[in-house]
Amino acid sequence: MLWKALFASLLSLAAVPALADECKVTVDSTDQMTFDQKQIEVSKSCKTFEVTLTHSGNLPVNVMGHNWVLTKTADMREVASDGMSAGADKGYLKPEDTRVIAHTRMIGAGEKDSITFDASTLDPAGQYTFFCSFPGHIAMMQGTLKIVD
């Protein structure tokens, strides 16, 4: 009987980190205008989801800055276009743009930033895209975010 209780305790401890890992991800960005993730899957069980963006390159934010922006796929291009008009001091995002679901700040070499957002509001049938809004980066720096079982 004791071994069953011990096994159950160990099993519950092993499940905690796995569940935490499902509700957060680290995405690395580089001087070659790439994200190391092209697709992110978020479990429907996640109430919130955390994205940590890192920059493993050597160039400063004003030359090769990156951010991580999440929108509905249909809104991505217009959000990026409006962001270019907003300029560098606004992180290439229109202030208080309701089409932006979540975003990190713009970072340069060696920096990181995290954002936590309410994943429970995302539609499992919806199409979501993440991208970098630094001018010109969207062509290479984008991926999909999907809600999964």
Side-chain angles (χ1 to χ4, degrees), residues 106-148:
M106 194 68 62
I107 63 171
E111 296 180 310
K112 71 179 181 177
D113 191 39
S114 296
I115 184 71
T116 300
F117 62 93
D118 185 354
S120 67
T121 63
L122 299 181
D123 180 356
Q127 295 183 354
Y128 302 97
T129 299
F130 61 89
F131 61 94
C132 175
S133 68
F134 194 99
H137 291 196
I138 194 171
M140 295 176 65
M141 297 184 77
Q142 62 177 280
T144 59
L145 184 136
K146 295 183 180 200
I147 306 301
V148 297

Side-chain angles (χ1 to χ4, degrees), residues 17-35:
L19 181 59
D21 287 343
E22 290 177 9
C23 295
K24 66 181 177 180
V25 68
T26 298
V27 177
D28 186 52
S29 58
T30 69
D31 288 343
Q32 289 73 40
M33 293 190 329
T34 60
F35 286 136

Side-chain angles (χ1 to χ4, degrees), residues 21-77:
D21 287 343
E22 290 177 9
C23 295
K24 66 181 177 180
V25 68
T26 298
V27 177
D28 186 52
S29 58
T30 69
D31 288 343
Q32 289 73 40
M33 293 190 329
T34 60
F35 286 136
D36 69 346
Q37 308 279 331
K38 291 295 182 190
Q39 181 174 327
I40 296 172
E41 294 184 344
V42 178
S43 171
K44 281 195 300 193
S45 67
C46 293
K47 300 289 185 232
T48 61
F49 193 78
E50 179 183 331
V51 176
T52 299
L53 178 66
T54 59
H55 192 313
S56 61
N58 297 308
L59 297 171
V61 67
N62 63 324
V63 176
M64 190 56 67
H66 301 308
N67 61 358
W68 186 92
V69 181
L70 179 65
T71 65
K72 290 180 179 178
T73 301
D75 295 334
M76 175 184 70
R77 297 280 175 205

Side-chain angles (χ1 to χ4, degrees), residues 84-102:
M84 281 195 294
S85 298
D89 61 326
K90 304 267 191 302
Y92 297 108
L93 286 172
K94 179 179 161 185
E96 300 183 37
D97 190 334
T98 59
R99 299 167 298 179
V100 175
I101 297 165

